[in-house]
Amino acid sequence: MRALVAGADGFLGRAVVSALASHGHEVVALVHHDRGARPSLGPRVTTVVGDLLEPSTLGPALRGVDLAVHLAQAPASDLGHMRRVRVEGGRNLVAAVAAEGAKRVLVGSGYWVYRDSTEPIVEASPVAPMSLSSVNFEAEEVAREAGRKGGVSVGVVRPGMVYGDGSWFGEMVAELGRSTYRYLGDGTNFLSPIHLDDLGEAFRCLAERGDPTGLYLVVDDAPVDHRTFAEFVAERLGVPKPQGVPFEEAERDWGREIALLNAASRRASNARLRSTGWAPRYPSYREGVPEVLRRMAASRSRRLSARRDPAEPPLRR
């Protein structure tokens, strides 16, 4: 298979590129800027500079491609630009795929589109998108409509809380170290985590044998309440346990919609994804978080070593 991944050098994109390439697929890594000394994305990967908001840049990148994956993102601090990249960019990508004669697109979204629920969440559970999650939901809908018009099969992937070296989890680790991390209320609302590597493998599995127009949740086997998750990470870091923040304070500091998104309980099921043959390497945060923290520590150690003067003798303890 030859697959194009838009947003290939992002937090999720690198994991998807790695999973596809490591299983023998050819990958076109579509990136927004040519940053010069860009870290290699690995063998069987061709990096191409393009912009989902500039359709003329997409055709050459899509030639010979069987599948395109939309993971391109923009900073949440600029919601208008984020919506353009996710929504307009998704529409442009599907149209370009149709023009090049390819047949499939996978749109990365998120399980934040689901409403607060005391029941386990499955793909067909009621949604209540707002704020940032409304952008992803709109991107799903626009891409599907463009697919119907262009004869392209559009599938949607809704990951849970993807933890790895970077993104929100990196921020969480830093805040726990400063004793500034807070969960909302008493922290009894449920999260559904997924290790970054398992997320990459899920996209690879769906690319190979998923329903081309299907909707899939990507979560591990062990939903966990926010407080337990945060305390587990703090314990592994050897730092004090975090505390909760009242909803009123969160609403004042974060805004009402963000506070509501964070207050919701989402215990999601991976049953449909498992039916494709996928299984998580890290069935729960208890196995996955320690591995990620070790990886983060090793990465930090390498960065510190690279900055040290080569003539400087090693530190003695």
Side-chain angles (χ1 to χ4, degrees):
M1 179 189 304
R2 184 172 172 85
L4 177 139
V5 179
D9 57 351
F11 179 62
L12 304 183
R14 292 182 70 91
V16 173
V17 168
S18 176
L20 288 167
S22 66
H23 283 77
H25 301 295
E26 295 182 30
V27 181
V28 178
L30 187 72
V31 298
H32 189 206
H33 295 293
D34 184 0
R35 298 191 178 104
R38 181 188 303 279
S40 171
L41 291 172
R44 306 186 70 86
V45 180
T46 302
T47 300
V48 176
V49 177
D51 188 342
L52 295 187
L53 299 179
E54 296 290 341
S56 63
T57 68
L58 302 179
L62 283 163
R63 284 173 193 149
V65 162
D66 304 295
L67 166 75
V69 180
H70 180 22
L71 291 171
Q73 187 58 274
S77 56
D78 186 346
L79 194 59
H81 183 57
M82 178 185 175
R83 176 169 275 107
R84 288 191 68 211
V85 171
R86 297 294 300 144
V87 178
E88 183 182 333
R91 180 190 292 114
N92 291 343
L93 180 61
V94 175
V97 165
E100 290 299 321
K103 295 299 182 185
R104 289 187 64 195
V105 173
L106 279 176
V107 176
S109 181
Y111 90 144
W112 292 82
V113 301
Y114 291 103
R115 67 176 56 176
D116 181 26
S117 178
T118 58
E119 300 297 322
I121 290 171
V122 297
E123 282 76 5
S125 293
V127 298
M130 64 178 72
S131 186
L132 303 181
S133 71
S134 68
V135 174
N136 275 335
F137 189 72
E138 187 179 355
E140 296 177 15
E141 296 295 292
V142 165
R144 285 189 184 278
E145 178 60 25
R148 285 189 286 269
K149 291 180 179 178
V152 175
S153 297
V154 177
V156 172
V157 184
R158 291 176 178 167
M161 296 294 291
V162 186
Y163 61 93
D165 186 0
S167 191
W168 70 274
F169 188 73
E171 295 172 3
M172 178 185 191
V173 168
E175 290 181 12
L176 284 169
R178 297 192 297 266
S179 295
T180 58
Y181 185 82
R182 298 290 183 267
Y183 48 80
L184 202 146
D186 60 5
T188 55
N189 59 309
F190 272 76
L191 314 174
S192 293
I194 182 71
H195 190 288
L196 179 60
D197 291 352
D198 286 331
L199 181 279
E201 281 298 305
F203 271 88
R204 192 268 305 174
C205 183
L206 293 174
E208 292 176 350
R209 53 185 179 272
D211 177 352
T213 59
L215 167 63
Y216 292 89
L217 280 159
V218 183
V219 296
D220 67 21
D221 296 337
V224 56
D225 68 78
H226 196 160
R227 177 177 176 177
T228 298
F229 183 86
E231 290 183 349
F232 181 86
V233 179
E235 181 182 348
R236 294 305 179 278
L237 291 170
V239 300
K241 293 180 179 180
Q243 303 297 314
V245 58
F247 182 87
E248 295 76 16
E249 184 177 333
E251 182 180 16
R252 184 194 66 209
D253 294 342
W254 307 344
R256 181 169 179 78
E257 289 195 344
I258 297 297
L260 287 170
L261 282 174
N262 279 275
S265 189
R266 299 180 182 88
R267 289 183 294 170
S269 166
N270 61 22
R272 187 175 192 205
L273 179 60
R274 274 188 169 274
S275 72
T276 68
W278 173 89
R281 178 179 179 186
Y282 303 97
S284 83
Y285 68 94
R286 290 182 291 272
E287 297 83 25
V289 163
E291 187 279 334
V292 169
L293 293 178
R294 286 192 293 270
R295 193 179 298 185
M296 292 173 71
S299 176
R300 180 176 182 273
S301 178
R302 287 193 297 271
R303 290 195 300 271
L304 291 174
S305 296
R307 288 200 296 265
R308 187 179 299 149
D309 185 338
E312 180 185 346
L315 295 174
R316 295 183 180 179
R317 298 183 181 274

